[in-house]
Amino acid sequence: MEEKLNSFFQPQRQSKTGIVLLFLYNVGMVIKNLWVFIILFFVRKNKIELWMIILGAIVGLLILIVFAILQYFHFKYYIDEENEEFVIHEGIINTSVTKIKKENIQEVNISQPFVHRFFNIYKLEIDTPGSSEKEVKISALTKQNAIDLKKYLLTETKLESSLKENIEVAEDQEVEKLRSIKISTLSILKYGITANYIQSFFALVSLLIYGFSELTNLLKKVEFDTQLDYDTLESRFLAFSIPVILGIVVVVIIVGILINTVRTLIKFFNFKISENNQSFSFEYGLFNTRNSIVNKSKVQVITETQNWIQKKMKISFVKFLQIGKNEEDEKKVAAVPGINNAEKAKLISTIWNKDPVFENELKPNFRLIIVHTFQWIVLPLFLVFFIEKELFINYWFLAVIYVVLAELFILISFRNLKLFYSERFIRLKSGIWDIDNRTFEVEKLQTVKISQYFWQRKTNLGSITFYTSAGRFKIVA
């Protein structure tokens, strides 16, 4: 069957239903920026006539509708075939023209937020290297237009041949089905239960502290006596038995795990991976459906994260860092949660065109344990003792617990820290509980920096920093 492919070489507008979406966006922006005045308006509405409220609401809605219509008709996009640029015209009073070179387009994401589902339209975002935000966002496209535009923008051949390539892809649909992976709901559930629970615990504790603080401020405003006797609070807390305190901590951790599991299921629900000739397509999401692209040739670093429980379950979390992407920015990094070992090996070998093999291994010197012990144990305890001696003496048992746990983490971190390398690949292994294996190709390295502090020269120790287009990675040897 012949696939209907749109031509984007002529200026065109978004889907007509985008007018309604733009109107809703405008209403949302008004509420977001003026919510204080809106609440104040309704609080004092007894001083304002009803007809004035109705008239003001009607006028406001009419203005927002007109703005939405003007935004729709002034927004145009097309591909400049001669210069190979993607061009956007937008604006009502202050018009602007955005041009992006096709060769600079790093990523094209298609998503269907919850509101978009009611109108059966999609949002397309274009990202380029070095930008902190999306360069271009088209809010209302039909599914076919979004998919076709993504194919045009991401193909690595000339635009003249893009129509032919898309037809070939359509004819080869059966092959693509054989090269697709679906992450099961059970695997995502396993990942949600076993990942990020420490972050979830501290996030929940922070939320409780914030809630308590806000409640205290609220009580102060209504002139309640909120002054706390911290000595009494401390004695009451310590009056609890150790099992009760541990039980409270366990409950908080379990609640954090449940919250994280639900959040993970909603975010990564129905995760599908489809392989094309030059890239992978990731589609996932329960309420907000996203579709992102991983271009094989632009992958700089592959990070595999796995803890002990996940290792027993044979699942991992894999991130693909492309040019201009930072590993710390989770929202922009393409990732696959709960992928099993067989699927992971297949996916990685397809990107590298082979399974990474390492002939050599480098371990850090044992002196690193001494350095970290001084840095994380001796120095902090010395500062606490110097600043607040009585606090240190009264809570010496907490200092002992801290020393034992900190030294244990230092030893585990030292044991896991390794550098593997071969003629083509380098892999950095690090972590305490969640073990990260970062793999990149030698030919994609931009710079390798070896540095030493003056006290390391006698022992011939130092650090190695690898610079790539997706960030820098360091190992202290």
Side-chain angles (χ1 to χ4, degrees):
M1 187 174 99
E2 185 179 356
E3 183 182 4
K4 292 182 180 179
L5 294 168
N6 202 339
S7 175
F8 299 97
F9 303 116
Q10 297 296 327
Q12 55 187 284
R13 296 187 176 94
Q14 303 177 81
S15 173
K16 291 181 179 179
T17 53
I19 296 177
V20 181
L21 190 67
L22 290 170
F23 168 72
L24 294 175
Y25 277 164
N26 291 338
V27 172
M29 290 299 296
V30 169
I31 295 174
K32 179 180 178 181
N33 295 311
L34 302 177
W35 65 271
V36 174
F37 297 100
I38 294 173
I39 293 175
L40 185 63
F41 175 80
F42 281 102
V43 169
R44 295 177 171 268
K45 68 179 181 179
N46 57 337
K47 298 182 180 181
I48 303 174
E49 297 292 335
L50 180 62
W51 68 269
M52 296 177 63
I53 297 176
I54 296 174
L55 180 62
I58 293 174
V59 172
L61 290 175
L62 287 175
I63 293 174
L64 293 177
I65 291 172
V66 171
F67 263 81
I69 294 172
L70 291 176
Q71 283 178 300
Y72 170 79
F73 281 102
H74 283 80
F75 189 97
K76 295 180 182 179
Y77 63 95
Y78 63 93
I79 294 175
D80 185 342
E81 186 176 7
E82 182 178 353
N83 297 318
E84 293 197 358
E85 294 176 333
F86 186 65
V87 183
I88 290 282
H89 291 263
E90 58 184 327
I92 300 175
I93 299 175
N94 296 323
T95 59
S96 64
V97 179
T98 303
K99 296 182 179 181
I100 302 178
K101 280 287 186 182
K102 180 173 172 287
E103 62 187 19
N104 292 334
I105 293 176
Q106 168 64 38
E107 187 175 350
V108 178
N109 291 327
I110 299 174
S111 61
Q112 191 182 37
F114 185 71
V115 177
H116 288 62
R117 292 192 176 189
F118 290 100
F119 306 102
N120 195 27
I121 54 179
Y122 291 76
K123 180 170 69 174
L124 183 140
E125 295 173 309
I126 302 172
D127 193 17
T128 59
S131 61
S132 59
E133 298 180 355
K134 299 292 181 184
E135 291 285 340
V136 169
K137 180 173 67 175
I138 305 177
S139 299
L141 290 175
T142 63
K143 184 176 182 180
Q144 189 62 53
N145 274 9
I147 293 174
D148 290 345
L149 182 57
K150 182 176 70 173
K151 290 178 181 178
Y152 274 123
L153 295 176
L154 290 179
T155 180
E156 293 185 353
T157 57
K158 294 294 182 180
L159 288 172
E160 292 84 347
S161 63
S162 56
L163 178 62
K164 180 180 177 182
E165 289 182 1
N166 287 324
I167 293 175
E168 290 176 354
V169 170
E171 292 174 349
D172 198 32
Q173 284 182 346
E174 291 189 6
V175 177
E176 287 192 15
K177 287 181 181 178
L178 295 175
R179 296 185 295 176
S180 64
I181 298 174
K182 181 178 179 180
I183 308 300
S184 67
T185 304
L186 180 60
S187 295
I188 297 175
L189 181 63
K190 289 179 181 178
Y191 172 75
I193 294 173
T194 59
N196 300 325
Y197 48 82
I198 296 178
Q199 293 93 322
S200 300
F201 170 75
F202 284 111
L204 187 60
V205 171
S206 301
L207 183 63
L208 291 174
I209 295 173
Y210 173 78
F212 180 78
S213 175
E214 290 298 312
L215 180 62
T216 302
N217 294 333
L218 181 62
L219 293 175
K220 284 181 179 179
K221 290 180 180 178
V222 294
E223 298 182 352
F224 272 65
D225 185 12
T226 58
Q227 297 298 321
L228 295 176
D229 186 348
Y230 288 98
D231 292 332
T232 304
L233 185 64
E234 177 187 349
S235 61
R236 290 182 179 179
F237 179 77
L238 294 177
F240 284 101
S241 61
I242 297 298
V244 173
I245 296 174
L246 291 178
I248 294 173
V249 173
V250 169
V251 169
V252 173
I253 292 175
I254 291 174
V255 172
I257 291 173
L258 290 175
I259 293 173
N260 182 68
T261 302
V262 173
R263 184 185 65 85
T264 302
L265 281 173
I266 292 174
K267 181 179 179 180
F268 295 112
F269 182 77
N270 197 27
F271 199 107
K272 297 177 182 177
I273 305 172
S274 300
E275 180 191 356
N276 300 314
N277 293 331
Q278 301 167 356
S279 62
F280 285 100
S281 174
F282 296 165
E283 184 177 343
Y284 56 91
L286 181 58
F287 300 116
N288 185 2
T289 304
R290 293 188 59 84
N291 186 302
S292 59
I293 293 292
V294 175
N295 195 310
K296 298 177 185 177
S297 63
K298 294 181 180 180
V299 173
Q300 301 294 300
V301 182
I302 297 178
T303 301
E304 306 166 52
T305 303
Q306 189 180 57
N307 57 43
W308 181 82
I309 300 175
Q310 292 170 347
K311 187 176 181 180
K312 296 299 180 182
M313 292 182 175
K314 299 181 179 179
I315 59 172
S316 303
F317 182 74
V318 181
K319 292 186 289 188
F320 301 92
L321 305 185
Q322 301 180 81
I323 297 173
K325 300 296 180 183
N326 193 309
E327 189 175 23
E328 297 176 358
D329 192 350
E330 294 290 343
K331 293 183 179 180
K332 292 187 178 182
V333 174
V336 184
I339 188 170
N340 63 45
N341 293 341
E343 294 169 342
K344 179 180 70 174
K346 178 182 177 183
L347 194 60
I348 294 176
S349 63
T350 304
I351 292 178
W352 299 134
N353 293 322
K354 64 177 295 186
D355 292 325
V357 178
F358 303 95
E359 297 90 8
N360 304 292
E361 177 182 339
L362 178 64
K363 297 180 180 180
N365 191 279
F366 73 93
R367 293 183 179 88
L368 184 63
I369 298 176
I370 301 174
V371 173
H372 283 171
T373 299
F374 178 80
Q375 180 181 359
W376 296 106
I377 297 178
V378 177
L379 186 60
L381 291 180
F382 175 78
L383 291 175
V384 172
F385 182 81
F386 180 77
I387 296 172
E388 193 63 51
K389 184 177 180 181
E390 291 185 4
L391 180 67
F392 185 88
I393 296 173
N394 292 335
Y395 296 96
W396 61 269
F397 59 94
L398 292 179
V400 173
I401 294 173
Y402 172 77
V403 169
V404 172
L405 291 177
E407 192 62 38
L408 179 62
F409 291 158
I410 290 171
L411 292 174
I412 294 174
S413 175
F414 175 80
R415 181 174 178 270
N416 291 327
L417 187 61
K418 294 178 183 178
L419 171 66
F420 304 93
Y421 60 96
S422 63
E423 186 176 346
R424 182 181 170 186
F425 296 101
I426 293 176
R427 172 173 290 172
L428 295 180
K429 181 181 179 182
S430 62
I432 298 174
W433 173 250
D434 289 322
I435 309 301
D436 294 321
N437 285 282
R438 298 178 177 89
T439 306
F440 41 88
E441 292 181 289
V442 174
E443 64 178 17
K444 292 184 178 179
L445 287 175
Q446 294 180 327
T447 308
V448 179
K449 180 180 178 181
I450 300 176
S451 58
Q452 283 183 319
Y453 292 107
F454 66 89
W455 64 80
Q456 294 177 317
R457 293 173 184 172
K458 290 185 178 181
T459 55
N460 198 28
L461 301 177
S463 61
I464 306 174
T465 306
F466 300 95
Y467 292 84
T468 71
S469 298
R472 60 188 182 96
F473 306 92
K474 182 178 180 180
I475 180 172
V476 179

